[in-house]
Structure formats: structure tokens, C-alpha cells
């Protein structure tokens, strides 16, 4: 792996340190941008089609003029340039008149095995994402809720909406398992996570029926298990909410996670 | 005025083109930032104390570690360097571990006299600002609502909250005048605009009583006049909402605007 990282900027390979945005542009000041976070495993980018589709959908919702880009080709050029094997990659498109787009990468984001074996702590945070189905640069709520979780020693924050119901995490989707029912918030209230698609497919394959409904926090304590999912996490069991232990069935979550990860390599 | 503009970045004068942010920083990606827009008139920055106070308050709310900066000195250095007479200036602080801060400037933002004489068109847009009292970089709602207003040929968008009540504009505060009562949304539901402080002071001086209440859109049509305010606009009368003419009393608004502008020069 080369010492100095590169990036792609509007079709050109650049030094990563030149992947910058002028603060004088109104679109930069206003987070008029969309993005995707991807996994590269053994030199192969995972579920690129799903990510590109979501990028285009996010752009369409906010009227961001996204030009046609051959993302596979651009990503492959960066993989080759920096001899990337495993990585977390990020596509960013800023909606200036001629959109500025970038592909950057960093060491593959992974988590200790203990997070999957013992579960993670989460907190709750009052707030609703603006345009929940869009992956835009408007991320302050996500940032603040996650920082508050960190201050409380937790791994993730669950976002609770105005009606007191749980929709999703600051950087994850959220699920409850009870019997053979898996409950998660309806598509139009959350980010349609690329990993969420796999989680729901895995759950069906394992015999669960899916209930699309925003759960109350109290339901976590009468369920068999709850968990979160994201591109980086896969599926990760929750062991406590706001400092209070909750039921956890790590094997049930692990079975879902195994399928999610298996399909990534197909 | 010199050809090439400069900026201040953490106490150093730099070329404006070097006022950039690395897209690989999580704080940059997440708009973990606060800002202020200021007016420089005849080489003198207007209401700096109020702007700095709000900058510090915004930073405190989101736990952004804002170091002590002598903003007057830094701004004066830039005014001297670029021989600035009149300008719109912007302070931006990004909350990385060592906060990155910038002062940039552009030609003074002003509006045609006709906007004040004939009034402006506004539209309504459903949406509530996250952390309404804070001036953060989380501005996508402001951007999108204003773009939608532009597409409809309007100058500004009024943001309507979940209860259907008007709080503020995408980049302005909002007021209704009826008899000797001026109605505006309560402090804790809107941005505490620096110009809003002056507008309310002017209104009191002119004999109005202030009613802090979020009005319904329909009230605009039974009022004497409605108007918006901001640092750049001063006070500007509204002549139509969502394409429908509304009552407008430009003289009453002009009287408030004159006091607001007079105090800027004191």
C-alpha cells in the first residue's frame, strides 16, 4: 500500500490532501450534497449498484444535478492507484452548477468481535432527520446525537421522533426481534440502508415476518433482542439502552449478520 | 480595492482561494460548524458584539469548542489588507479538535430600492430548522426552501412548522403588523436575528406592542402588513404569499427599517 493516499475528483486522480472544498461556495456552506459510504473487500466494492441507485435517488429528491459517472471505473482506478485491498470508501457529490464529486477512502472500518458477542450500549436522542430517505450532507443531528452517546459511554444513539417512537440510529437502522416477528420503521421514515435491504432479506430467509412500524423504547425490554445495522457494522446486537440492560439474543442477530456478510462476497 | 481577495484563517491572512476545508474530516462532513454573516459599512463592522455573542452561544449549544479570538482585530486586519469599504463578511468556525476558523468577504449584499417600495413575493415551505436558535452549518432546509421559492419566482420562503404556523424565513425573521401590534414567533422557536433585536427595539420606539406568537398564514391577509428582516435586508415588506396578493403598508415597514439602519451607523 502506498504511503500517500489519493482520491478521485471529477474523473482525475488527485492527492488526498487536495480533496478540499472552497468555503465561499453557497452549496458548500449549505450542505447541498449527497454521499455514500461503501465497503471494499478484497479489492471489490460491495453492492455498488444499490449505493449508486440510492445516490441518484438522494440527488433527485433535493434537485441536485448529478451527472452520469461510471462509478465502477472511477473506483477501480483508485483501487489500482493505491493498491487498495480492504477499505471504507466515500463518494461525495456537491451540487454546484458543475457538480463537484470526490471518491476518498480510509482503512476499512471494523469493530471488535466483542461488540457482536456481548452487544453494544445505545442511548436515545430526540430528533428527526430532515428528508429521512436521503443521504445528504445535512448531518448535524447525526453528529450531535452520536457525540452525546459517546459522552455517555455508548456506541450509538437511537433517534426518537416527535411521537416518541424509534426510527433509526445516528448511522444505522434499528430492529426488534420478538418471536418470529422482526419490527423496523417503515421505509418512508428512515434511510433505506443498503445493509437494511440485506437484513430484511436475511430475516425473511430465516423465517421471520417483517412488521413495518416504529417501535416504542419500552418494547425493547419485552422483546427477544434488538439490534442495529449499517454497511460497516453488518448487524450488531444491543445489550443496553440509556444504561438499562435489555434482552439480547446474540445468536439470532449473528445468523442475520452472517447472511448479510455472505451476500457481500457474492 | 486589490484584485485578489484575501481571507483570515486561524489568525493568518491567506489568499481567498486557500480558504478550503478537507472533505475527509468528519466535522466537515457533518456540518459541525457555526457561522455569522456581518455587514461592513464604510470600513466599520456593524453590531460585532451581538454577532460574536451569538456565535459563542451557537457554539455552546452544540458543544463546539470555540477558542477566544479577538474578532475585531482579525476583521480589521482583513479590512486593511483588502482596503474594504462596504462588504458582507462571513465568520465560519468548524469544530475540529483544533477548531478551524475563517473570515471571508464579498461585495456588500444589497437589494434594489423597488424591493422596499413595491414589496417582495414569498412562498411557504413546510419544515422546521434543527436547533432553531443556533446559526450552524446545517443549512440544507434553508437552501432547499429558498431554491423552491426561486423556482416559483419568489424572493424568500417562509418556514411553516408541524403545527402549520409560521416561524421565520429561510434567511430572515418574519413579522405581522396589525394596528399597534407587531407579531413575531417567540425567541426559542427562531433564530434570534441580530437585526431582529433592532426591529423589535424600533417597533417599541414607534409605539407598537410586541406579541410573541407564531402566526398562521391566513393572518397575513387580514393584517395591515407583513415583512421580513435580516442583516442584509434590514426590514422588507411582503406583497404576496404563494402568489396571492396580501395587504402591505410600506411606510410602516420603512419607518422600522430606517431606525434599524440608523442604529447600524452609531
Amino acid at each position: 500500500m502506498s504511503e500517500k493516499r489519493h482520491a478521485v475528483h471529477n474523473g482525475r486522480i488527485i492527492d488526498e490532501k487536495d480533496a478540499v472544498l472552497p468555503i465561499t461556495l453557497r452549496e458548500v456552506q449549505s450542505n447541498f450534497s449527497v454521499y455514500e459510504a461503501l465497503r471494499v473487500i478484497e479489492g471489490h466494492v460491495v453492492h455498488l449498484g444499490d449505493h449508486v441507485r440510492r445516490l441518484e435517488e438522494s440527488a433527485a429528491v433535493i434537485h441536485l444535478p448529478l451527472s452520469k459517472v461510471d462509478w465502477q471505473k472511477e473506483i477501480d482506478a483508485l483501487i489500482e492507484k493505491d493498491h487498495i485491498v480492504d477499505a471504507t470508501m466515500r463518494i461525495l457529490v456537491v451540487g454546484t452548477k458543475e457538480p463537484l464529486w470526490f471518491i476518498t477512502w480510509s482503512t476499512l472500518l471494523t469493530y471488535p468481535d466483542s461488540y457482536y458477542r456481548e452487544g453494544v450500549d445505545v442511548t436515545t436522542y430526540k430528533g428527526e432527520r430532515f428528508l429521512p430517505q436521503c443521504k445528504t450532507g445535512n448531518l448535524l443531528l447525526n453528529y450531535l446525537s452520536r457525540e452525546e452517546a459517546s459522552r455517555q459511554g455508548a456506541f450509538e444513539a437511537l433517534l426518537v421522533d416527535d411521537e416518541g417512537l424509534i426510527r433509526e440510529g445516528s448511522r444505522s437502522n434499528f430492529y426488534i426481534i420478538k418471536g418470529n416477528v422482526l419490527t423496523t420503521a417503515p421505509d418512508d421514515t428512515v434511510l433505506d440502508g443498503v445493509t437494511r435491504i440485506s437484513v430484511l432479506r436475511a430475516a425473511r430467509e430465516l423465517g421471520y415476518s417483517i412488521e413495518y412500524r416504529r417501535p416504542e423504547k419500552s418494547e425493547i425490554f419485552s422483546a427477544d433482542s434488538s439490534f442495529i445495522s449499517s454497511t460497516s457494522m453488518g448487524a450488531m446486537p444491543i445489550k443496553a439502552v440509556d444504561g438499562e440492560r435489555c434482552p439480547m439474543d446474540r445468536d439470532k442477530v449473528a445468523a442475520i449478520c452472517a447472511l448479510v456478510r455472505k451476500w457481500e462476497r457474492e
Side-chain angles (χ1 to χ4, degrees), chain A residues 4-159:
Chain A
K4 202 168 66 178
R5 270 187 205 161
H6 294 85
V8 187
H9 172 38
N10 288 60
R12 284 182 310 112
I13 297 266
I14 60 171
D15 286 350
E16 188 197 69
K17 69 170 174 43
D18 296 324
V20 295
L21 289 169
I23 64 166
T24 46
L25 294 179
R26 189 162 78 93
E27 294 82 2
V28 171
Q29 293 166 357
S30 307
N31 0 107
F32 186 51
S33 59
V34 292
Y35 77 101
E36 284 294 321
L38 309 112
R39 271 159 73 88
V40 177
I41 304 292
E42 294 170 13
H44 175 76
V45 61
V46 172
H47 296 318
L48 180 61
D50 289 338
H51 285 284
V52 168
R53 190 160 43 249
R54 190 171 58 185
L55 187 76
E56 290 172 349
E57 284 168 5
S58 295
V61 170
I62 64 171
H63 301 279
L64 187 153
L66 182 55
S67 42
K68 259 296 181 240
V69 174
D70 184 342
W71 296 107
Q72 183 75 64
K73 186 185 127 228
E74 303 291 347
I75 287 169
D76 286 346
L78 185 57
I79 287 174
E80 194 184 322
K81 178 78 182 173
D82 283 356
H83 311 291
I84 298 170
V85 181
D86 294 342
T88 294
M89 209 162 244
R90 195 171 200 269
I91 296 177
L92 172 69
V93 185
V94 181
T96 46
K97 222 162 255 173
E98 293 290 313
L100 302 171
W101 61 262
F102 298 88
I103 307 169
T104 52
W105 69 277
S106 54
T107 311
L108 182 68
L109 182 57
T110 59
Y111 300 98
D113 280 348
S114 61
Y115 284 31
Y116 298 88
R117 217 172 40 237
E118 294 161 23
V120 292
D121 278 80
V122 302
T123 52
T124 52
Y125 193 95
K126 188 123 194 285
E128 291 180 25
R129 286 177 55 239
F130 177 53
L131 304 175
Q133 292 170 281
C134 272
K135 215 164 164 81
T136 74
N138 200 63
L139 290 169
L140 187 60
L141 168 64
N142 306 62
Y143 183 91
L144 294 183
S145 56
R146 183 176 165 187
E147 289 297 299
E148 182 58 34
S150 292
R151 277 191 289 273
Q152 296 181 37
F155 173 72
E156 173 63 313
L158 301 180
L159 300 175

Side-chain angles (χ1 to χ4, degrees), chain A residues 55 64 86 137 140 148 160 168 178-179 185-186 195 199 202 210 221 238:
Chain A
L55 187 76
L64 187 153
D86 294 342
L140 187 60
E148 182 58 34
V160 176
E168 59 194 331
K178 187 168 187 175
T195 300
V199 165
I210 315 290
F221 296 95
I238 294 171

Side-chain angles (χ1 to χ4, degrees), chain A residues 167-219:
Chain A
R167 294 197 182 183
E168 59 194 331
S170 81
R171 60 193 194 284
S172 62
N173 287 111
F174 172 74
Y175 316 81
I176 288 182
I177 292 173
K178 187 168 187 175
N180 68 340
V181 177
L182 183 141
T183 302
T184 192
D187 290 358
D188 60 352
T189 63
V190 297
L191 188 73
D192 188 17
V194 167
T195 300
R196 180 169 178 269
I197 298 169
S198 292
V199 165
L200 298 179
R201 182 182 156 203
R204 275 188 215 97
E205 199 137 310
L206 294 165
Y208 294 96
S209 64
I210 315 290
E211 190 167 295
Y212 290 96
R213 184 174 60 73
R214 295 163 296 160
E216 288 182 39
K217 177 181 161 182
S218 63
E219 295 179 49

